[in-house]
Amino acid sequence: MNSDFIEKAKNLKLLLTDIDGVMTDSKLTWYTDGEGRNIEVKNFESLDGMGMIFLRACGIRTGIISRGSAPVLQNWARLLGMDIIYFGCMNKAAALQDACARFGCTPQETAFIGDDIIDLGILKASGMPLTVANGVDEVKRLAVYASPKHGGCGAVRDICEQILKARGQWDGVVQAVEDGTFTDPPAQLTVVKTALKK
């Protein structure tokens, strides 16, 4: 990791992420149940989830900002002990400002993981723009780190590890897990279901 990444990681208080193409492989799967309702299904990588839990255990708040609104996202966020999730959000930079106000941090103390041009505004506004191997070129040009792994294939876990290693906290996490003393930190999930405007 370069010195810029290390410095940003040390100051990090909040990590937010997109979902499709970052925590999933970006494929959208739907099925229709017996009552005619269309249900969206997403495949998540468990390693990514544990990476987010490790961040929370080391004092970094976490959350999701997504244009989508599948109920499974809320379940995933709650399972990981995340702090906030934004549904149906086109203006992700506005969601970043809202999250900073809620948690008492600045955009410079936040990171965002994105993969597509819808993420450009928030990536530019955040102090630590991050992406995945399948991120588009426009996103990669803004990112201080691009994981060599693809979305849905351990990219988020890789990013979480790199952040904690830069902060000098990774070895402590590994030791706590090995010793059996690691515990999931408690969190209260805040759900914001309306798109935020400028």
Side-chain angles (χ1 to χ4, degrees):
M1 289 294 104
N2 61 42
S3 58
D4 186 39
F5 179 94
I6 292 170
E7 191 62 29
K8 291 177 184 297
K10 286 180 177 177
N11 294 323
L12 190 62
K13 293 184 178 176
L14 171 66
L15 182 138
L16 301 166
T17 184
D18 181 35
I19 285 290
D20 294 323
V22 174
M23 294 196 91
T24 76
D25 63 4
S26 81
K27 292 183 176 66
L28 301 178
T29 303
W30 297 82
Y31 76 92
T32 304
D33 69 10
E35 297 180 14
R37 294 173 295 199
N38 292 322
I39 310 296
E40 186 175 353
V41 178
K42 292 186 183 294
N43 292 314
F44 296 109
E45 169 59 64
S46 61
L47 290 174
D48 290 344
M50 285 306 303
M52 296 297 253
I53 289 171
F54 294 151
L55 283 188
R56 289 269 305 128
C58 291
I60 299 171
R61 292 181 180 272
T62 61
I64 293 168
I65 302 178
S66 178
R67 183 176 174 273
S69 58
V72 68
L73 296 183
Q74 188 170 331
N75 296 335
W76 179 239
R78 186 168 283 114
L79 179 66
L80 302 187
M82 288 185 166
D83 296 281
I84 197 159
I85 181 170
Y86 294 87
F87 282 133
C89 186
M90 281 295 293
N91 187 347
K92 295 186 179 185
L96 170 67
Q97 294 290 339
D98 182 76
C100 286
R102 289 173 188 265
F103 300 127
C105 59
T106 68
Q108 284 303 306
E109 297 169 319
T110 67
F112 183 77
I113 312 171
D115 69 313
D116 203 357
I117 59 171
I118 190 176
D119 301 318
L120 291 176
I122 187 171
L123 287 165
K124 191 171 181 181
S126 69
M128 193 175 192
L130 304 162
T131 192
V132 294
N134 50 288
V136 299
D137 289 343
E138 292 86 349
V139 167
K140 287 181 176 176
R141 280 196 286 271
L142 291 179
V144 296
Y145 178 68
S147 174
K149 300 189 178 202
H150 283 251
C153 298
V156 171
R157 170 59 171 270
D158 170 61
I159 288 169
C160 293
E161 282 191 31
Q162 298 305 326
I163 289 170
L164 293 179
K165 286 175 180 175
R167 292 164 62 96
Q169 293 177 293
W170 179 249
D171 289 344
V173 167
V174 173
Q175 190 63 55
V177 173
E178 189 175 332
D179 293 345
T181 58
F182 181 86
T183 56
D184 291 0
Q188 180 66 45
L189 180 65
T190 298
V191 179
V192 182
K193 292 189 176 180
T194 56
L196 296 168
K197 307 292 183 185
K198 280 188 178 178

